[in-house]
Amino acid sequence: MENLKTDPSVISDKEWQIVQLIRQLDYGELLIVVKDGKPCRVEEIRKSIQIK
């Protein structure tokens, strides 16, 4: 697991899942929740309303 922090060419399974989600997303935003340096949850932002 230490190689993930020292070698940028190594990617974890969870990071690969995030890359796949980004590639599948036609348009929008993702919120990535990270704990202890590892992604633990991804939320797709569906709607944003700007209030003036």
Side-chain angles (χ1 to χ4, degrees), residues 17-35:
Q17 288 176 335
I18 292 171
V19 170
Q20 293 300 316
L21 286 170
I22 292 170
R23 290 178 178 173
Q24 293 171 4
L25 188 65
D26 291 328
Y27 180 81
E29 297 180 43
L30 295 176
L31 171 67
I32 302 169
V33 179
V34 178
K35 288 187 181 178

Side-chain angles (χ1 to χ4, degrees), residues 2-42:
E2 189 61 34
N3 288 343
L4 295 176
K5 291 184 179 182
T6 58
D7 187 358
S9 66
V10 177
I11 186 167
S12 71
D13 290 336
K14 288 183 179 184
E15 291 168 330
W16 180 246
Q17 288 176 335
I18 292 171
V19 170
Q20 293 300 316
L21 286 170
I22 292 170
R23 290 178 178 173
Q24 293 171 4
L25 188 65
D26 291 328
Y27 180 81
E29 297 180 43
L30 295 176
L31 171 67
I32 302 169
V33 179
V34 178
K35 288 187 181 178
D36 296 324
K38 302 172 196 163
C40 62
R41 187 174 75 231
V42 177

